[in-house]
């Protein structure tokens, strides 16, 4: 919810545009590849929410959009970093449709972020992808990878790289 987001950014000293409102962080039960979602990006010395398409455009014809990007062994110092703001994420298990759907959330916070990267196409459209890493013990029974979860206190460190990437891009 927007109130929890506002509390998190204010509590951690992040300045946001005065024009930002609840409509910039719409509530959704789920966000699928190709949907538009709110993404937190650095803006000057502060941050702002921008609507972006989930999934980078396919890198070649007939390929799928890039919605997960492995973080292992990579540096994102010169990349466009973002935080995908959410209350939880899902893992799907099984081989037959419909797969079992499991929701994961942080115990200590109503919000979390996923470390991500964003890009801008020639036509000005914006898109994002989520960074992944090896799974932690909570995720390992469900999937062989996990998204790089950021607690609200780590959002600024990821956006402005004020701490080593290895401290931020790790399993839960």
């Amino acid at each position: 919810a927007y109130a929890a987001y506002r509390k998190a950014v204010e509590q951690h000293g992040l300045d946001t545009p005065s024009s930002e409102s609840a409509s910039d962080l719409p509530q959704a039960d789920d966000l699928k590849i190709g949907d538009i979602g709110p993404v937190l990006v650095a803006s000057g010395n502060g941050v702002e929410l921008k609507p972006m398409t989930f999934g980078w455009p396919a890198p070649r014809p007939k390929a799928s959009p890039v919605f997960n990007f492995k973080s292992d062994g990579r540096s994102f110092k010169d990349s466009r970093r973002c935080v995908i703001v959410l209350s939880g994420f899902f893992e799907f298990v099984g081989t037959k449709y419909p797969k079992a759907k499991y929701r994961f959330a942080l115990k200590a916070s109503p919000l979390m972020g996923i470390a991500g990267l964003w890009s801008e196409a020639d036509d000005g459209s914006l898109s994002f992808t989520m960074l992944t890493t090896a799974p932690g013990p909570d995720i390992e029974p469900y999937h062989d990878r996990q998204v790089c979860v950021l607690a609200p206190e780590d959002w600024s460190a990821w956006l402005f790289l004020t701490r080593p990437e290895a401290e931020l891009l790790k399993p839960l």
Side-chain angles (χ1 to χ4, degrees):
Y2 186 71
Y5 161 77
R6 290 296 313 163
K7 182 178 177 182
V9 294
E10 289 170 6
Q11 185 176 20
H12 299 292
L14 296 170
D15 293 327
T16 59
S18 59
S19 61
E20 195 173 88
S21 71
S23 66
D24 294 309
L25 189 65
Q27 291 193 29
D29 291 334
D30 208 344
L31 188 67
K32 296 174 180 66
I33 299 163
D35 288 350
I36 303 288
V39 178
L40 192 64
V41 298
S43 178
N45 292 327
V47 296
E48 70 176 304
L49 288 167
K50 289 193 175 223
M52 296 188 192
T53 302
F54 178 23
W56 283 348
R60 61 192 174 284
K62 298 186 181 180
S64 298
V66 178
F67 59 94
N68 285 339
F69 194 88
K70 286 185 177 183
S71 67
D72 313 55
R74 294 184 163 137
S75 172
F76 300 102
K77 178 177 63 99
D78 297 321
S79 299
R80 292 178 170 169
R81 294 173 304 283
C82 65
V83 175
I84 300 107
V85 179
L86 61 158
S87 61
F89 65 92
F90 297 101
E91 287 296 345
F92 297 86
V93 177
T95 56
K96 294 183 179 183
Y97 182 83
K99 294 182 178 184
K101 185 176 180 180
Y102 295 92
R103 185 176 187 276
F104 294 87
L106 293 179
K107 286 182 181 179
S109 174
L111 288 178
M112 67 171 73
I114 295 174
L117 303 174
W118 67 277
S119 66
E120 183 173 3
D122 292 339
D123 65 3
S125 61
L126 305 176
S127 59
F128 69 92
T129 186
M130 304 182 297
L131 294 180
T132 66
T133 189
D138 290 352
I139 305 297
E140 193 169 33
Y142 303 94
H143 205 282
D144 62 347
R145 302 284 301 164
Q146 81 164 64
V147 291
C148 296
V149 175
L150 300 171
E153 59 266 21
D154 295 327
W155 295 355
S156 178
W158 170 245
L159 292 173
F160 298 101
L161 275 188
T162 56
R163 293 200 346 246
E165 293 170 83
E167 287 181 19
L168 302 166
L169 306 176
K170 62 183 183 181
L172 290 172

